[in-house]
Amino acid sequence: MLKLAIPAAAAAGLYLLASTGAGAQAERTVLAPPPARDIAGATGAQTAVLAGGCFWGMEAVFEQVKGVKSVTAGYAGGTGSTASYDQVSTETTGHAEAVKIVYDPRVVSYGTLLRVYFSVAHDPTQLDYQGPDHGPSYRSAIFPQTQEQRAVATAYIAQLGKARTWPAPIVTKIETGQFFAAEAYHQDFYRKNPTYPYIVRWDKPKIAAFRATFPQLAKS
């Protein structure tokens, strides 16, 4: 993402470079098949933690999903008893930008959230980067919160790989690690900054892709 400390004019200039250079290859939506294995019978609010590039876009996509009660941008994995944007941006802490999703399993299943994650929230074939953002903190990773989630995520990655849903191998990893909420200015960034150049270029297309691909899952 473009750091917020960059002056607006400079940010716009970087946005133009990103949107007209090699990194501007048109994003493609790959519709992942439903997971063959899912979690049934769960009750009460459940939590999923996913990483797939800049957390602004990940947060924005999952906030659109029916059954999702809240989405928090933050950091997962890595070491240390805390994490901050300045620390994680050094690419030395081992954290990934991630989102914590609290959802109602009676409305949307964990497997369905993973299907959205793989289809439109990010590109699972990009190793340690997403679009214009490069570094391990932008990696594709799933942080299961239960053993059931770990089993579903592991099986789904294997299913997608066997089906060769993408032309390149899936690089998504199953990881462990504590989740830390990001700074307040990162929360709801898409909703609060709809005209921010990065949002316009990289995240609005994800929202459009989600609503076009999964209209039955989209909140009104």
Side-chain angles (χ1 to χ4, degrees):
M1 71 184 70
L2 297 179
K3 290 189 175 181
L4 299 185
I6 297 174
L14 287 176
Y15 158 68
L16 289 173
L17 287 174
S19 61
T20 56
Q25 178 181 349
E27 293 78 15
R28 64 185 185 280
T29 297
V30 177
L31 179 58
R37 178 173 183 170
D38 206 342
I39 299 174
T43 59
Q46 303 292 308
T47 300
V49 177
L50 306 172
C54 175
F55 45 32
W56 294 344
M58 289 280 289
E59 179 189 51
V61 168
F62 286 104
E63 283 182 337
Q64 307 287 319
V65 180
K66 288 179 181 177
V68 168
K69 303 167 75 67
S70 67
V71 186
T72 304
Y75 316 101
T79 58
S81 58
T82 187
S84 69
Y85 183 64
D86 287 342
Q87 292 170 327
V88 174
S89 296
T90 66
E91 301 294 353
T92 61
T93 69
H95 293 92
E97 290 198 8
V99 291
K100 181 176 73 173
I101 304 162
V102 178
Y103 65 98
D104 183 346
R106 298 170 301 176
V107 180
V108 63
S109 71
Y110 182 70
T112 298
L113 293 177
L114 291 185
R115 191 183 186 202
V116 171
Y117 168 74
F118 281 108
S119 297
V120 298
H122 84 308
D123 184 340
T125 69
Q126 295 183 344
L127 181 63
D128 289 346
Y129 80 99
Q130 285 291 312
D133 301 315
H134 289 250
S137 66
Y138 298 107
R139 66 187 181 272
S140 175
I142 298 172
F143 296 84
Q145 302 300 292
T146 66
Q147 288 303 314
E148 284 184 305
Q149 287 188 3
R150 178 175 294 276
V152 169
T154 300
Y156 196 30
I157 291 174
Q159 175 188 341
L160 297 178
K162 184 177 181 180
R164 296 186 178 180
T165 307
W166 286 264
I170 293 173
V171 298
T172 308
K173 302 297 183 183
I174 306 295
E175 300 188 24
T176 60
Q178 187 175 353
F179 177 87
F180 301 96
E183 295 78 359
Y185 64 84
H186 284 303
Q187 307 301 332
D188 295 314
F189 194 87
Y190 176 91
R191 180 174 58 81
K192 295 174 181 175
N193 302 276
T195 61
Y196 193 72
Y198 182 101
I199 293 295
V200 172
R201 171 62 183 89
W202 298 102
D203 294 337
K204 284 197 171 182
K206 292 182 180 182
I207 303 303
F210 166 71
R211 290 192 164 272
T213 307
F214 297 105
Q216 75 282 9
L217 299 178
K219 293 177 180 176
S220 58

